[in-house]
Amino acid sequence: MTRSLFDAQAFLDALRLGGPAAERATVQMVRHYRPLLRAQLFHAGVQADDIEDLLNEILFKLVMHAGDVRAPEAFHSWARTVARNETSAHWRRLARQPASPPAAADDMDPGLDWLAQLPDPASSDPLLSRCLHGQLGRFKDEQPRRYHCIELITLGHDAREIAELIGRSYGATRQFMSECCAALLGYFKPCLDDGLEPMRRGAAKLKRSEP
């Protein structure tokens, strides 16, 4: 899944190198963050006609000011902060509050709705990251059609675009997207809440036994 391939440390290192490495890393960062930030703007009530322009402004700032990030593990929270600041600036430019509140749940794209709920396998917690990657691999092997749907969602395709790509009706695609995300969340469940506690206790015990 595209989200799991993003490595903030590698991205920042590639930007410092410049050239083709920086270009490739920038493309990967944009693919990773475009759907996440689109969801953030959508939930903030930004009008559909304004989202793409505002999203491009945010992504441009992420690239131009990435050097300001001191620690790679802070990149995600910094990116979300940049998006919030740009959204606030957007409202000030319009000199008004959102014309209408965010769409009701029934009207929302199920990809955007579910995307915010799925944990990111690129976690700074090594045990959590290992568990999520393992479960993601199982999901890909056992449910390839649903995995492909998740890939399309994380690449930023909406329900209408995915309907065209997979050859289903719009209504059936919305239902399928929700089913795919719910299935993936089920695979991730053992990694969440108390699911990692036995692994953590084992790791701590092993560390204590080391000379």
Side-chain angles (χ1 to χ4, degrees):
M1 190 167 64
T2 304
R3 294 174 64 205
S4 68
L5 300 179
F6 181 73
D7 183 331
Q9 180 68 70
F11 170 64
L12 295 173
D13 290 344
L15 286 187
R16 295 186 187 101
L17 288 174
E23 293 177 6
R24 290 192 296 270
T26 298
V27 169
Q28 189 175 39
M29 186 278 289
V30 169
R31 286 178 177 173
H32 177 89
Y33 275 100
R34 181 177 289 278
L36 300 179
L37 296 177
R38 181 184 286 118
Q40 182 174 336
L41 298 179
F42 183 87
H43 285 288
V46 176
Q47 298 299 298
D49 292 344
D50 297 329
I51 283 182
E52 199 62 29
D53 287 342
L54 184 54
L55 184 57
N56 288 334
E57 290 179 23
I58 294 168
L59 291 168
F60 177 76
K61 290 205 169 185
L62 294 187
V63 176
M64 296 302 297
H65 298 285
D68 297 341
V69 180
R70 298 300 180 185
E73 59 270 20
F75 187 87
H76 181 72
S77 59
W78 172 75
R80 299 294 292 268
T81 298
V82 171
R84 284 195 297 271
N85 291 342
E86 288 302 302
T87 302
S88 297
H90 170 72
W91 297 134
R92 290 195 296 271
R93 286 196 298 270
L94 293 178
R96 62 175 173 81
Q97 293 299 312
S100 59
D106 288 345
D107 296 328
M108 291 168 58
D109 190 311
L112 295 176
D113 190 29
W114 276 101
L115 197 60
Q117 300 181 44
L118 294 174
D120 190 348
S123 169
S124 58
D125 182 331
L127 286 178
L128 176 59
S129 181
R130 189 190 318 163
C131 182
L132 292 174
H133 275 287
Q135 291 299 95
L136 183 62
R138 280 191 56 213
F139 181 71
K140 180 179 181 179
D141 292 340
E142 296 174 3
Q143 303 199 39
R145 292 178 62 198
R146 287 179 171 176
Y147 178 87
H148 177 59
C149 176
I150 294 293
E151 282 191 311
L152 294 175
I153 293 171
T154 58
L155 286 171
H157 294 291
D158 61 23
R160 295 190 184 281
E161 292 170 336
I162 293 176
E164 294 179 4
L165 290 168
I166 67 175
R168 295 194 180 198
S169 69
Y170 173 69
T173 298
R174 284 177 57 87
Q175 178 63 31
F176 182 58
M177 290 168 68
S178 293
E179 291 172 356
C180 293
C181 292
L184 179 56
L185 193 58
Y187 273 73
F188 282 164
K189 190 172 179 58
C191 304
L192 308 177
D193 301 326
D194 298 329
L196 287 181
E197 280 310 305
M199 292 177 62
R200 296 190 193 284
R201 288 196 296 269
K205 183 178 179 180
L206 181 62
K207 187 174 182 179
R208 287 195 299 270
S209 66
E210 292 177 352

